[in-house]
């Protein structure tokens, strides 16, 4: 099967690329900077497989017709929470990230429809438990944007599939790395009010298997599937268990005042992360993010790893390239 993979140099895309090639698919990767794909560590696993890399931009539409030509399934793994560099940088500088997300989704979906693409596989985010017909006024900008992109894709290419995930646990996952850096660098673990909310972290290995299966899965066309790990745990428990698995003993301080705009920027500075990424993510921590339907693993025939197994695997992979001071 001819597949187009966007976001091939990103965390999930770089893991998915060799897996698709192993399955025997003919993969074409789309990137603003094609040289980044070859430099991305997990793609070393793809050595010996034929891979075509083309330049293109989902915001401007540049290169999309060529990239999508002859493609049956396209993976849309692009998020615009950080500002782009390159051909789309002028547009990126003028628009907020929800606007960039919307423009990019419309541009890509329209191009895919014109090219006759049968299915788009989209990786978005879990939304609070409610109907999906209308965005809740309490939904964060980040989650509302993910949901809007999902609707654009599913309506534009009807055979498409959207997978909705919360935190993905992997060595290159920026959400996971953010938590690890906080555990590593803070002498006291400051736990804000959203510590009590629950979610279902997903092992990156399981995420890749679900995405791989989504290319050819039957009976799921036009659907949104909630995907997550087997455990529902609070953010407090998640942070404390990460600390425990890192062999770090940190006292915890629970505070009751929520000042997300400020605390997110402070936390981003501590973790050496981009506030444009961290602030919207923390704005989304307003309630439980749990699976409304837990049948995705069964429908896609994927066996799920436990949370502790996911963290141990991610930390071990991380340390193969970069020592963790706390360990």
């Amino acid at each position: 099967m001819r597949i187009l993979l966007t976001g091939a140099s990103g965390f999930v895309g770089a893991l998915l690329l060799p897996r698709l090639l192993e399955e025997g698919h003919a993969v074409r990767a789309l990137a603003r900077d094609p040289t980044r794909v070859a430099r991305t560590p997990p793609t070393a696993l793809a050595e010996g497989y034929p891979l075509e890399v083309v330049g293109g931009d989902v915001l401007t539409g540049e290169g999309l017709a060529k990239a999508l030509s002859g493609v049956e399934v396209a993976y849309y793994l692009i998020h615009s929470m950080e500002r782009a560099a390159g051909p789309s940088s002028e547009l990126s500088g003028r628009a907020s990230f929800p606007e960039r997300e919307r423009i990019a989704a419309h541009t890509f979906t329209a191009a895919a429809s014109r090219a006759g693409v049968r299915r788009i596989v989209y990786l978005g985010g879990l939304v609070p438990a409610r109907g999906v017909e209308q965005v809740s006024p309490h939904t964060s900008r980040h989650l509302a944007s993910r949901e809007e992109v999902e609707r654009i894709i599913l309506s534009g290419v009807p055979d498409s599939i959207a997978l909705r995930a919360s935190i993905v646990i992997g060595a290159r996952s920026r959400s996971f790395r953010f938590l690890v850096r906080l555990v590593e660098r803070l002498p006291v673990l400051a736990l804000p009010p959203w510590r009590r909310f629950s979610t279902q972290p997903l092992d990156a290995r399981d995420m890749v298997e679900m995405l791989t299966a989504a290319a050819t899965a039957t009976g799921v066309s036009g659907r949104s599937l909630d995907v997550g790990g087997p455990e529902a745990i609070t953010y407090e428990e998640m942070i404390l268990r990460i600390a425990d698995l890192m062999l770090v003993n940190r006292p915890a301080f629970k505070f009751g005042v929520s000042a997300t705009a400020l605390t997110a920027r402070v936390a981003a500075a501590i973790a050496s992360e981009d506030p444009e990424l961290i602030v919207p993510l923390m704005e989304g921590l307003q309630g439980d993010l749990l699976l409304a339907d837990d049948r995705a693993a069964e429908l896609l025939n994927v066996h799920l790893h436990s949370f502790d197994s996911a963290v141990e695997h991610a930390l071990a992979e991380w340390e193969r390239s970069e020592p963790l001071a706390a360990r």
Side-chain angles (χ1 to χ4, degrees):
M1 178 183 294
R2 169 67 69 180
I3 288 177
L4 177 70
L5 177 63
T6 69
S9 62
F11 158 53
V12 175
L15 294 173
L16 180 61
L17 172 57
R19 187 70 186 86
L20 292 174
L21 292 169
E22 288 168 3
E23 285 290 297
H25 298 300
V27 182
R28 179 184 295 153
L30 174 72
R32 285 198 307 268
D33 178 5
T35 62
R36 287 188 61 190
V37 177
R39 297 197 304 266
T40 304
T43 59
L45 298 174
E47 290 180 1
Y49 291 96
L51 173 66
E52 180 186 3
V53 184
V54 298
D57 193 302
V58 295
L59 271 172
T60 66
E62 180 183 352
L64 290 187
K66 176 182 177 181
L68 290 161
S69 177
V71 166
E72 297 172 75
V73 173
Y75 283 88
Y76 193 78
L77 306 179
I78 295 173
H79 300 308
S80 305
M81 287 165 66
E82 295 175 289
R83 297 190 183 278
S88 62
S89 58
E90 183 179 349
L91 173 59
S92 176
R94 295 196 309 266
S96 65
F97 83 79
E99 291 174 307
R100 297 195 299 269
E101 292 271 87
R102 182 170 55 255
I103 293 168
H106 275 299
T107 302
F108 185 83
T109 302
S113 179
R114 288 194 297 270
V117 172
R118 177 177 61 84
R119 171 175 290 176
I120 297 174
V121 179
Y122 171 59
L123 177 59
L126 275 178
V127 295
R130 55 179 174 76
V132 297
E133 297 303 320
Q134 184 176 358
V135 175
S136 163
H138 303 295
T139 301
S140 71
R141 294 179 301 153
H142 161 57
L143 294 178
S145 176
R146 295 289 188 266
E147 196 172 359
E148 183 175 14
V149 169
E150 177 184 302
R151 286 197 300 272
I152 292 168
I153 289 172
L154 293 180
S155 62
V157 179
D159 190 43
S160 297
I161 302 172
L163 303 186
R164 296 171 165 183
S166 179
I167 294 178
V168 178
I169 306 295
R172 291 185 64 224
S173 164
R174 290 178 69 178
S175 297
F176 176 67
R177 291 177 72 90
F178 172 68
L179 293 177
V180 169
R181 288 304 190 199
L182 291 181
V183 169
E184 186 179 42
R185 296 174 181 179
L186 284 173
V188 176
L189 298 178
L191 302 174
W194 48 257
R195 66 183 178 272
R196 67 184 185 276
F197 299 130
S198 297
T199 191
Q200 293 178 244
L202 178 65
D203 192 316
R205 294 170 291 181
D206 301 335
M207 181 80 268
V208 168
E209 290 304 311
M210 289 185 180
L211 286 167
T212 302
T216 56
T218 58
V220 291
S221 298
R223 292 179 60 178
S224 303
L225 299 178
D226 289 354
V227 297
E231 289 182 81
I233 62 176
T234 65
Y235 291 98
E236 177 179 356
E237 184 180 1
M238 188 189 317
I239 292 168
L240 295 178
R241 283 170 68 176
I242 289 173
D244 185 57
L245 291 166
M246 290 174 66
L247 308 178
V248 170
N249 184 17
R250 295 277 192 269
F253 172 71
K254 303 175 184 180
F255 58 95
V257 178
S258 181
T260 301
L262 175 61
T263 57
R265 293 183 181 280
V266 171
I270 292 170
S272 303
E273 258 295 358
D274 188 338
E276 281 207 43
L277 175 73
I278 301 303
V279 172
L281 286 177
M282 289 184 66
E283 285 176 347
L285 304 179
Q286 302 175 28
D288 294 338
L289 289 177
L290 301 172
L291 277 61
D293 186 327
D294 63 358
R295 292 179 298 166
E298 179 183 349
L299 290 169
L300 299 174
N301 195 29
V302 175
H303 177 74
L304 299 174
H305 292 83
S306 69
F307 175 76
D308 287 355
S309 173
V311 173
E312 286 280 25
H313 183 270
L315 292 175
E317 185 178 347
W318 185 337
E319 289 194 295
R320 281 197 286 271
S321 60
E322 177 189 353
L324 282 164
R327 299 262 282 186

